[in-house]
């Protein structure tokens, strides 16, 4: 399936959840409000998802004079991929991670944490940037950014539903409200949004690894970076919004085996195994 078709189905599925939650909260009136909200979020996430996510993490743009080596890597790898060089941003967090965002290669951004620039070797950091440019080349960044914004909206509405059910507000249609059902739905809806993200994101991580290894000509460096990032994040999780989990190169949280069932990322071990197989060839 093309990126455009996947984006359409992602928008449709997450929008349907927003509409259903609105209907549960306020019946026909809630549905109308949710419909208007969904249109606003869809348009906003398409055009401004990169700005929303970057502001969420207080990311600041890095000039070539701020980080000449990293800028040189971005320029080289973008040229290898045949796309314009993305803008470079930094997030001031010790937990090492990175993501790419934007609606197309012409408006793309690569964001890295300050922690990742401290713990990785230049070769490993180059592998990480190659992975993120792989996402840009493969047109994943719109899907990931839209998913993050809409999933965040669903989590916000679900939280409102929980409080509404507790204090007796909600659906006033003839059939009456059901606080227990509202609370249950408020719990299930974010999980459903996460599963939609997971279904799309896992395969895209493998593809970005493969593309990154190809344009960097160094799959071992990316494999080494993934091993180091995974081990560090387990002990130093990121202060991150769960709705944006799918955007990062590794899961920004320190979840165990149960959390991995609902993770938007494949296991790091499997990703490393595939990269090392590429290196062997």
């Amino acid at each position: 399936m093309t990126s455009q078709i996947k984006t359409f189905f992602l928008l449709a599925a997450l929008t349907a959840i927003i509409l259903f939650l609105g209907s549960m909260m306020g019946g026909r009136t809630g549905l109308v409000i949710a419909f208007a909200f969904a249109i606003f979020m869809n348009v906003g996430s398409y055009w401004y998802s990169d700005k929303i996510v970057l502001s969420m993490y207080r990311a600041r743009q890095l000039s070539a004079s701020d980080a000449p080596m990293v800028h040189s890597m971005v320029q080289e790898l973008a040229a290898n991929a045949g796309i314009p060089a993305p803008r470079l941003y930094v997030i001031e967090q010790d937990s090492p991670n990175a993501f790419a965002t934007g609606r197309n290669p012409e408006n793309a951004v690569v964001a890295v944490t300050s922690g990742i620039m401290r713990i990785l070797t230049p070769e490993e950091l180059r592998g990480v940037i190659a992975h993120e440019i792989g996402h840009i080349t493969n047109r994943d960044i719109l899907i990931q950014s839209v998913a993050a914004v809409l999933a965040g909206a669903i989590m916000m509405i679900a939280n409102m539903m929980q409080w509404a059910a507790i204090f007796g507000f909600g659906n006033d249609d003839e059939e009456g409200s059901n606080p227990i059902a509202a609370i249950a739905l408020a719990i299930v809806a974010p999980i459903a949004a996460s599963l939609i993200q997971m279904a799309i994101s896992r395969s895209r991580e493998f593809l970005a690894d493969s593309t990154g290894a190809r344009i960097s000509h160094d799959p071992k460096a990316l494999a080494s970076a993934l091993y180091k990032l995974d081990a560090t994040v387990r002990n130093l999780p990121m202060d991150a919004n769960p709705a944006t989990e799918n955007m990062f190169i590794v899961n920004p949280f320190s979840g165990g085996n149960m959390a991995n069932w609902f993770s938007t990322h494949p296991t790091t071990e499997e990703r490393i195994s595939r990269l090392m197989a590429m290196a062997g060839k």
Side-chain angles (χ1 to χ4, degrees):
M1 295 176 68
T2 66
S3 176
Q4 290 83 359
I5 294 174
K6 286 189 174 183
T7 301
F8 171 79
F9 280 110
L10 175 64
L11 286 168
L14 294 178
T15 298
I17 295 175
I18 292 175
L19 295 178
F20 190 56
L21 289 176
S23 177
M24 288 295 297
M25 283 187 71
R28 286 183 290 272
T29 302
L31 180 61
V32 171
I33 294 172
F35 180 72
F37 181 71
I39 292 176
F40 173 78
M41 291 303 300
N42 278 314
V43 173
S45 62
Y46 180 86
W47 288 103
Y48 303 110
S49 56
D50 55 337
K51 295 179 178 63
I52 293 171
V53 174
L54 291 170
S55 65
M56 187 184 299
Y57 289 103
R58 298 184 178 88
R60 62 177 177 87
Q61 189 166 1
L62 280 178
S63 66
S65 59
D66 292 329
M69 181 185 71
V70 185
H71 264 275
S72 177
M73 292 177 185
V74 171
Q75 294 282 343
E76 175 215 347
L77 294 166
N80 291 350
I83 63 170
R87 290 169 289 149
L88 182 63
Y89 278 72
V90 65
I91 299 168
E92 296 296 342
Q93 287 204 37
D94 291 333
S95 183
N97 228 312
F99 66 79
T101 184
R103 65 181 182 273
N104 54 40
E106 290 71 33
N107 296 277
V109 169
V110 170
V112 296
T113 65
S114 53
I116 202 172
M117 292 192 290
R118 283 196 294 268
I119 74 163
L120 296 186
T121 66
E123 293 77 18
E124 291 167 342
L125 183 59
R126 181 172 175 273
V128 167
I129 293 172
H131 169 97
E132 299 305 335
I133 289 178
H135 276 306
I136 298 170
T137 304
N138 299 330
R139 306 277 177 155
D140 296 335
I141 51 176
L142 175 60
I143 297 175
Q144 292 175 323
S145 301
V146 167
V149 172
L150 293 187
I154 289 170
M155 291 178 183
M156 179 185 69
I157 296 172
N159 188 52
M160 291 169 58
M161 283 189 66
Q162 289 179 346
W163 286 106
I166 291 171
F167 289 104
F169 301 104
N171 193 334
D172 292 326
D173 287 346
E174 293 100 9
E175 67 271 14
S177 60
N178 187 333
I180 296 177
I183 292 174
L185 184 60
I187 294 171
V188 171
I191 295 175
S194 297
L195 290 174
I196 293 170
Q197 288 179 291
M198 181 180 70
I200 293 175
S201 181
R202 287 194 172 197
S203 63
R204 309 310 292 177
E205 289 302 321
F206 285 131
L207 185 57
D209 285 344
S210 176
T211 304
R214 176 176 56 80
I215 64 175
S216 67
H217 311 294
D218 193 357
K220 286 185 177 180
L222 178 54
S224 176
L226 290 175
Y227 177 83
K228 191 178 291 187
L229 293 177
D230 184 71
T232 306
V233 169
R234 289 177 187 273
N235 296 313
L236 186 63
M238 191 171 178
D239 180 14
N241 187 320
T244 62
E245 174 189 339
N246 65 308
M247 298 182 64
F248 289 92
I249 186 169
V250 296
N251 190 325
F253 307 111
S254 58
N257 292 331
M258 285 290 290
N260 288 338
W261 292 355
F262 298 100
S263 174
T264 55
H265 292 68
T267 65
T268 302
E269 291 79 7
E270 187 174 0
R271 294 171 69 184
I272 291 174
S273 177
R274 293 190 181 202
L275 286 166
M276 295 308 291
M278 288 183 65
K281 293 178 182 179

